[in-house]
Amino acid sequence: MHRDLLDSLRCPAAHEESWLVVMVHDAVDATLLRADLACPVCGAEYEVRDGLAQFVAAAEPASTQASARIMHDLDLSRLAALLGMTESTQSALLIGAHDATGVQQASMQIGERLPLGAGTIAAAALDEAHATPTYLAEAVRVVRQGGRIVAPATAPLPDGVRELARDETEWVAEVTARASGLIELRRRAPEIID
Ligand SMILES: [Zn+2]
């Protein structure tokens, strides 16, 4: 997991947004290989092992878990073009399987709620298996206003987006507003303990 992602991380538990306190045990350059993350609000603990962040609550059934990646500096693939990724400093969230490579990527195992703050990500793509109403609403929450979401054509268009394009395989939409009026609460700056 890339250290830059810490700015976007929030506790995925059902409470107001909160930064996570991070204790780094092992890192290579800006990549965290082993770290512990803790929520100062609810006390939940998450961990990074072998670079993979686990954000699945203990009680969460396997059926609601998924793999996600945060890609920085996406390659010039069709997906990057659809996502409107033109600036190298942007990061995109990919939920499920996508054919894309990035200079840096952060892998995470997620539950139903994404461990990311409102409007912290430039764009998001969901594959067929994960374009559920729950993940689509979560994508609308974490993608910044004006950022794009790409999903299969069979997926319902969520609230809070405007459709930009559609073909027989997928649609591209732009986030117009926060889906449920969520307000980003910046409780405190992220605390990093090396
Ligand atoms: Zn929490």
Side-chain angles (χ1 to χ4, degrees), residues 15-180:
H15 55 66
E16 73 273 29
E17 283 199 359
S18 171
W19 300 100
L20 295 172
V21 177
V22 181
M23 185 173 293
V24 178
H25 300 296
D26 191 13
V28 174
D29 298 326
T31 301
L32 309 185
L33 298 176
R34 203 162 66 82
D36 289 319
L37 306 125
C39 173
V41 173
C42 71
E45 294 179 352
Y46 308 98
E47 58 179 24
V48 177
R49 292 293 178 270
D50 299 323
L52 176 74
Q54 287 283 354
F55 286 106
V56 178
E60 199 143 16
S63 60
T64 63
Q65 298 178 19
S67 294
R69 287 173 292 164
I70 301 283
M71 311 289 290
H72 301 267
D73 218 354
L74 266 183
D75 67 7
L76 297 174
S77 66
R78 182 171 165 279
L79 180 63
L82 288 176
L83 289 170
M85 303 297 292
T86 53
E87 296 166 34
S88 62
T89 53
Q90 294 176 325
S91 53
L93 167 71
L94 309 184
I95 303 180
H98 290 93
D99 182 21
T101 55
V103 168
Q104 302 147 6
Q105 54 170 283
S107 299
M108 54 178 97
Q109 196 67 21
I110 55 172
E112 281 198 302
R113 194 172 154 83
L114 299 179
L116 298 164
T120 58
I121 298 295
L126 300 91
D127 73 359
E128 190 96 43
H130 299 94
T132 61
T134 300
Y135 277 134
L136 283 164
E138 278 290 272
V140 173
R141 181 179 67 83
V142 302
V143 171
R144 65 160 190 236
Q145 211 160 348
R148 290 184 185 175
I149 296 174
V150 174
T154 51
L157 208 64
D159 289 340
V161 302
R162 182 171 66 92
E163 188 177 307
L164 297 177
R166 173 187 287 272
D167 64 14
E168 62 277 8
T169 57
E170 60 213 334
W171 51 254
V172 180
E174 180 183 71
V175 174
T176 54
R178 304 265 71 87
S180 54

